[in-house]
Amino acid sequence: MSDERRGPWYLITGLIIGLFLGLLFTILFEPVHYVDAAPDALGETDKDQYRGLIALAFQKNTDLGRAKSRLDILDDKQVHLLMEAQAQRFLSDGQYPDEARALAELSLVLQNPEVLLNEPVSQEKAIQEEESLSEEGGLNAPDSTKSEQSVRTATPQKKPTFTQAPTFTPRVTAVPSEVLGASFVLDDRRKVCDQDLSEILLQVEVLDPAGNPIPGVRFEVSWDSGEDFFFTGLYPQISLGYADFSMVEDVSYHIKAGTGGEIVMDLQTEECVSPDGESYLGGWYLTFIQP
Amino acid sequence: MKQSNSRIIRYLWFSVSILIGVLLGFYFGWVLKPLKYTDMQLSQLREDYKADYVLMTAEIFSDDDNIQAAERRLGRLDANQTPVRITQQAILDGRAIHYSADDLELMVRLSQELLLYAENKVQREQTP
């Protein structure tokens, strides 16, 4: 047969071969890598752990709204039945008795929210629910491994912007609460002109009488239109007593260290000049000590 | 000669069609219908969900004071990091997404207790 009479079928063949090769590559060699998953994309075992944690947290704080919003993220269908089934599974496996009890309790409250309003969620009801799960052995609950859960593809999400985290954990002794509640006084205050800092920072450091940094000290910062707080100890690569706060130009900040500490007033960004004459804004570095 | 030229042209167009097919395959496999993963792990959760996981652990710990259980739960979140480090990161993330003061204090307390527990564990291991 001559080439002219073969027609364009070879093009379609080529297209199909290419499509097959392309798909094969995207499936086997370079599949999409998912990060930043939502809980509804978790595997069954991890979802069970997550659900158990929600139930235990609810047992401690009895915040039904919070528990519901956490369960919504899992995107489970017939969530209270799933929880009952999971509690039953945990009981029959002899694992996680606390989680089983908490799951039964939360399932009960989800079905009868007035239980929470009228009386504290009682251990007895949870135990009864737990016992009924053990006895019946086969509720009309779906097997969670076959449940019709719509599991969405984990979609890459924009990560929240936050300060870079510490990269190591030092070995330190936790600070007793009476120290954390102590009064701290300002010992040193200096302007910081550092062009390498990506933000204008109000930096603080807290030391004990021996000069050791103290983690976990709460700072309250306020300005005309708002207030905020932060804790020392979250940047151990700098100092355990270190913390910082982003400043904004033309805003006057007041800061207090600890619950009864000295208040430092009217901190504003400061004018700095670089070696080549360029002006920029700088912040402050405050050192507080425990008297 | 004429037939040879025409054959070369056919091979060329055949290659082009394969290339177009490959590109279509990429588009289909990466954009239109990527493989759906339904078996993600806790360590692959987004930072805000991880922070909430740590918060739940802190809420539970604030009531039962069971530091070993808290450490175990946090270990499930990321086996490659220490529980203290996980909690510290969660506190930073919680601040960024405006967790309440009460919630952050729960997490700070958990972080401090984990530090103390880790320190005591090391000392016990070193004591003959």
Side-chain angles (χ1 to χ4, degrees), chain A residues 79-108:
Chain A
V79 62
H80 63 278
L81 293 177
L82 268 173
M83 295 176 77
E84 285 175 4
Q86 184 178 337
Q88 180 183 356
R89 216 166 47 249
F90 281 178
L91 283 174
S92 55
D93 291 345
Q95 285 184 332
Y96 312 119
D98 293 337
E99 279 86 341
R101 187 182 295 256
L103 284 161
E105 188 177 295
L106 181 53
S107 171
L108 176 71

Coordinates of all heavy atoms in Angstrom, one line a residue, chain A residues 79-108:
Chain A
V79 N -21.9 10.2 61.5 CA -20.8 10.2 62.4 C -21.0 9.5 63.7 O -20.1 8.8 64.2 CB -20.3 11.7 62.6 CG1 -21.3 12.5 63.3 CG2 -19.0 11.7 63.3
H80 N -22.2 9.6 64.3 CA -22.4 9.0 65.6 C -22.4 7.5 65.5 O -22.0 6.8 66.4 CB -23.7 9.5 66.2 CG -25.0 9.2 65.5 ND1 -25.4 9.9 64.4 CD2 -25.9 8.2 65.6 CE1 -26.5 9.4 63.9 NE2 -26.8 8.4 64.6
L81 N -22.9 7.0 64.3 CA -22.9 5.5 64.1 C -21.5 5.0 63.9 O -21.1 4.0 64.4 CB -23.7 5.1 62.9 CG -25.2 5.4 63.0 CD1 -25.9 5.0 61.7 CD2 -25.8 4.5 64.2
L82 N -20.7 5.8 63.2 CA -19.3 5.5 63.1 C -18.5 5.5 64.4 O -17.7 4.6 64.6 CB -18.6 6.6 62.2 CG -18.5 6.3 60.7 CD1 -18.0 7.5 60.0 CD2 -17.7 5.1 60.4
M83 N -18.9 6.4 65.3 CA -18.2 6.5 66.5 C -18.6 5.3 67.4 O -17.8 4.7 68.1 CB -18.6 7.8 67.2 CG -18.0 9.0 66.5 SD -18.5 10.6 67.2 CE -17.4 10.6 68.6
E84 N -19.9 4.9 67.3 CA -20.3 3.7 68.1 C -19.6 2.5 67.6 O -19.1 1.7 68.4 CB -21.8 3.6 67.9 CG -22.6 4.5 68.7 CD -24.1 4.4 68.4 OE1 -24.5 3.5 67.6 OE2 -24.9 5.2 69.0
A85 N -19.5 2.4 66.3 CA -18.8 1.2 65.7 C -17.3 1.2 66.1 O -16.8 0.1 66.4 CB -18.9 1.3 64.1
Q86 N -16.7 2.4 66.1 CA -15.3 2.4 66.5 C -15.1 2.1 67.9 O -14.2 1.4 68.3 CB -14.8 3.8 66.2 CG -13.3 4.0 66.5 CD -12.7 5.3 66.1 OE1 -13.3 6.1 65.3 NE2 -11.6 5.7 66.8
A87 N -16.0 2.6 68.8 CA -16.0 2.3 70.2 C -16.1 0.8 70.4 O -15.3 0.1 71.2 CB -17.0 3.0 71.0
Q88 N -17.0 0.2 69.7 CA -17.2 -1.3 69.8 C -16.0 -2.0 69.3 O -15.6 -3.0 70.0 CB -18.4 -1.6 68.9 CG -18.7 -3.1 68.9 CD -19.9 -3.4 67.9 OE1 -20.5 -2.5 67.3 NE2 -20.2 -4.7 67.8
R89 N -15.4 -1.6 68.3 CA -14.1 -2.2 67.8 C -13.0 -2.1 68.8 O -12.3 -3.1 69.1 CB -13.7 -1.5 66.5 CG -13.2 -2.4 65.5 CD -13.0 -1.8 64.1 NE -12.5 -0.5 64.0 CZ -13.2 0.6 63.7 NH1 -14.4 0.5 63.4 NH2 -12.6 1.8 63.6
F90 N -12.9 -1.0 69.4 CA -11.8 -0.8 70.4 C -12.0 -1.7 71.6 O -11.1 -2.3 72.1 CB -11.8 0.7 70.9 CG -11.1 1.6 69.9 CD1 -11.0 3.0 70.2 CD2 -10.5 1.2 68.8 CE1 -10.3 3.9 69.4 CE2 -9.8 2.1 67.9 CZ -9.7 3.4 68.2
L91 N -13.3 -1.8 72.0 CA -13.6 -2.6 73.1 C -13.3 -4.1 72.8 O -12.7 -4.8 73.6 CB -15.1 -2.5 73.5 CG -15.4 -1.2 74.3 CD1 -16.9 -1.1 74.5 CD2 -14.7 -1.2 75.6
S92 N -13.8 -4.5 71.7 CA -13.6 -5.9 71.3 C -12.1 -6.3 71.1 O -11.7 -7.4 71.4 CB -14.4 -6.3 70.1 OG -14.1 -5.5 69.0
D93 N -11.3 -5.3 70.7 CA -9.9 -5.5 70.5 C -9.2 -5.4 71.9 O -8.0 -5.8 71.9 CB -9.3 -4.5 69.6 CG -9.8 -4.7 68.1 OD1 -10.3 -5.8 67.9 OD2 -9.6 -3.8 67.3
G94 N -9.8 -4.9 72.9 CA -9.2 -4.7 74.1 C -8.2 -3.5 74.1 O -7.4 -3.4 75.0
Q95 N -8.3 -2.7 73.1 CA -7.4 -1.6 73.0 C -8.1 -0.3 73.4 O -9.3 -0.1 73.1 CB -6.9 -1.4 71.6 CG -5.9 -2.5 71.2 CD -5.3 -2.2 69.8 OE1 -6.0 -1.6 69.0 NE2 -4.1 -2.6 69.5
Y96 N -7.4 0.7 73.8 CA -7.9 2.1 74.0 C -9.2 2.1 74.7 O -10.2 2.7 74.2 CB -8.0 2.8 72.6 CG -6.8 2.7 71.8 CD1 -6.9 2.0 70.5 CD2 -5.5 3.1 72.2 CE1 -5.8 1.9 69.7 CE2 -4.4 3.0 71.3 CZ -4.5 2.4 70.1 OH -3.4 2.3 69.3
P97 N -9.3 1.6 75.9 CA -10.6 1.7 76.6 C -11.1 3.1 76.9 O -12.3 3.4 76.9 CB -10.3 0.9 77.9 CG -8.8 1.0 78.1 CD -8.2 1.0 76.7
D98 N -10.1 4.0 77.2 CA -10.5 5.4 77.4 C -11.1 6.0 76.2 O -12.1 6.7 76.3 CB -9.3 6.2 77.8 CG -8.7 5.8 79.2 OD1 -9.5 5.2 80.0 OD2 -7.5 6.0 79.5
E99 N -10.5 5.7 75.0 CA -11.0 6.3 73.8 C -12.4 5.7 73.5 O -13.3 6.4 73.0 CB -10.1 6.0 72.6 CG -8.9 7.0 72.5 CD -7.7 6.6 73.3 OE1 -7.9 5.8 74.3 OE2 -6.6 7.0 73.0
A100 N -12.6 4.4 73.8 CA -13.8 3.7 73.5 C -14.9 4.4 74.4 O -16.0 4.7 73.9 CB -13.7 2.3 73.9
R101 N -14.6 4.6 75.6 CA -15.6 5.3 76.5 C -15.9 6.7 76.0 O -17.1 7.1 76.0 CB -15.0 5.3 77.9 CG -16.0 5.8 79.0 CD -15.2 5.8 80.3 NE -14.8 4.5 80.7 CZ -15.4 3.7 81.7 NH1 -16.5 4.3 82.3 NH2 -15.0 2.5 81.9
A102 N -14.9 7.4 75.6 CA -15.1 8.8 75.2 C -15.9 8.8 73.9 O -16.8 9.7 73.7 CB -13.8 9.5 75.0
L103 N -15.6 7.9 73.0 CA -16.4 7.8 71.7 C -17.9 7.5 72.0 O -18.8 8.1 71.4 CB -15.8 6.8 70.8 CG -14.5 7.1 70.1 CD1 -13.8 5.9 69.6 CD2 -14.7 8.1 69.0
A104 N -18.1 6.6 72.9 CA -19.5 6.3 73.2 C -20.2 7.5 73.8 O -21.4 7.8 73.5 CB -19.5 5.1 74.2
E105 N -19.5 8.2 74.6 CA -20.1 9.4 75.3 C -20.4 10.4 74.3 O -21.5 11.0 74.3 CB -19.1 9.9 76.3 CG -19.5 11.0 77.2 CD -18.5 11.4 78.2 OE1 -18.1 10.5 79.1 OE2 -18.0 12.5 78.2
L106 N -19.5 10.7 73.4 CA -19.7 11.8 72.4 C -20.8 11.4 71.4 O -21.6 12.2 71.0 CB -18.4 12.1 71.7 CG -18.5 13.2 70.6 CD1 -19.1 14.5 71.2 CD2 -17.1 13.5 70.0
S107 N -20.8 10.1 71.1 CA -21.9 9.6 70.2 C -23.3 9.8 70.9 O -24.2 10.3 70.2 CB -21.7 8.1 69.9 OG -22.8 7.6 69.2
L108 N -23.3 9.6 72.2 CA -24.6 9.8 72.9 C -25.0 11.2 72.9 O -26.2 11.6 72.6 CB -24.4 9.3 74.3 CG -25.5 9.5 75.3 CD1 -26.7 8.5 75.0 CD2 -25.1 9.2 76.8

